[in-house]
Amino acid sequence: MPTTEELGIALAEDVLKAVEELGDDAIINEVNKIVEASSSGLQEAYMAAIRAQRSSARAREHLDARLKRFRATAAAEAAPTGE
């Protein structure tokens, strides 16, 4: 049987996929209200997972952008100047 945390993580992953497909962040709060009405533990795990997933995605976007800029600069510096 999955733990409350595992259930919260799985639910958060499914909800974030739905947000991406539907283009509607409101579903996060709708699901939160449903879960909160019956299980405060699951609600806390769900919202923690939502925050963690979104934070991780933002951090990865930042990291990817930094690496892209660095690689572009390095490639430009390594390119022959044609002199």
Side-chain angles (χ1 to χ4, degrees), residues 36-68:
E36 184 178 35
S38 57
S39 174
S40 61
L42 180 57
Q43 185 267 343
E44 291 172 13
Y46 163 71
M47 287 308 296
I50 291 286
R51 288 188 299 273
Q53 293 275 346
R54 286 186 151 184
S55 178
S56 177
R58 284 190 300 273
R60 288 184 181 281
E61 287 173 4
H62 175 75
L63 178 60
D64 289 346
R66 287 284 306 263
L67 286 170
K68 186 177 180 179

Side-chain angles (χ1 to χ4, degrees), residues 9 12-13 15-29 46-62:
I9 291 168
E13 288 172 350
V15 168
L16 289 172
K17 286 177 189 173
V19 165
E20 189 173 319
E21 184 175 335
L22 300 170
D24 185 5
D25 283 356
I27 194 166
I28 294 171
N29 289 328
Y46 163 71
M47 287 308 296
I50 291 286
R51 288 188 299 273
Q53 293 275 346
R54 286 186 151 184
S55 178
S56 177
R58 284 190 300 273
R60 288 184 181 281
E61 287 173 4
H62 175 75

